[in-house]
Amino acid sequence: MKGIVFTEFLEMVEATYGLEVVDIIIENCDLPSGGAYTSVGTYDFNEMVSLISALSNTTGISQQNLLYSFGYYLFEGLVSAHPDVVSSYKNPIGLLYCIEDHIHVHVKKLYPDAELPKFKILSRTDNSLEMIYSSSRGLYALAHGLIVKTFEHFEKVVKVDYKLLNESGTEVRFEIVQNG
Ligand code: HEM
């Protein structure tokens, strides 16, 4: 998993819960990196699993809720790191429609070792999008937060429903409807 995901995660934890909680969760995890991340590095995905689990134990908030909040936070970090990728989009549905064929393709060129999810588009209208998230990492709650924040970024209101297509959440169908 790319370092930007870890640096943004620890930034969110510090902004929301304080530096003390950052120190506690790093101490409670047995991290090969020791918790020292750079945005361009690559780290074992299991380190993120440990950090989310430790944050959940420390705060009492479920892992899925934390992943959702993190996705919501991460969106602006990704936009700041790659402003050129995002600036060509005029609306949120257009952006989400192009994650698979443009945005993540560009990311993969920049970072060949990036591990990205797949998005299969089932239907698209001017104000709706139906797509299937699939990734062995099962980070659908992160995707949910990213989707909601994409609409806020364009100052639009959205309703997002999702359905797990298997127990582990490695395949999840999203139904996205923009309201105004
Ligand atoms: C705004 C432009 C975007 C950029 C530059 C971007 C880039 C990235 C990068 C660098 C990663 C980390 C890959 C790794 O750790 O190896 C990632 C992962 C991910 N991205 Fe994007 N992304 C963008 C938008 C989105 C949006 C809007 C969604 C919403 C569905 C999304 C869904 C995900 C998910 C769920 C992951 C986690 C990996 C997984 O689930 O397997 N991304 N993205």
Side-chain angles (χ1 to χ4, degrees), residues 38 71 75 84 109 129 139-140 150 157 176:
T38 67
F75 182 81
D84 46 319
K109 274 189 204 145
L129 187 66
L139 296 172
Y140 64 90
T150 305
V157 177
I176 300 160

Side-chain angles (χ1 to χ4, degrees), residues 146-164:
L146 281 161
I147 291 168
V148 170
K149 188 63 189 186
T150 305
F151 283 82
E152 271 192 28
H153 178 81
F154 289 96
E155 296 176 348
K156 300 288 182 203
V157 177
V158 70
K159 181 172 178 293
V160 181
D161 286 320
Y162 63 88
K163 186 172 187 289
L164 272 63

Side-chain angles (χ1 to χ4, degrees), residues 4-17 65-80 141-150 152:
I4 187 170
V5 183
F6 289 89
T7 54
E8 290 291 323
F9 177 76
L10 292 180
E11 215 181 276
M12 177 197 77
V13 176
E14 184 178 345
T16 315
Y17 304 103
N65 280 350
L66 290 170
L67 277 171
Y68 173 87
S69 307
F70 177 41
Y72 188 88
Y73 183 92
L74 180 62
F75 182 81
E76 293 299 342
L78 292 174
V79 172
S80 311
L142 185 82
H144 187 194
L146 281 161
I147 291 168
V148 170
K149 188 63 189 186
T150 305
E152 271 192 28

Side-chain angles (χ1 to χ4, degrees), residues 1-6 42-43 45 74-79 81-83 85-86 89 95-96 99 103-104 106-107 110-111 113-119 131 133-148 150 174:
M1 177 165 259
K2 294 308 299 176
I4 187 170
V5 183
F6 289 89
T42 303
Y43 306 90
F45 172 59
L74 180 62
F75 182 81
E76 293 299 342
L78 292 174
V79 172
H82 303 276
V85 185
V86 180
Y89 297 100
L95 187 152
L96 294 177
I99 304 172
I103 297 180
H104 279 171
H106 180 81
V107 169
L110 290 175
Y111 317 114
D113 57 355
E115 297 176 312
L116 297 159
K118 294 220 163 306
F119 290 97
M131 62 186 191
Y133 161 90
S134 54
S135 161
S136 59
R137 291 164 291 285
L139 296 172
Y140 64 90
L142 185 82
H144 187 194
L146 281 161
I147 291 168
V148 170
T150 305
F174 281 96

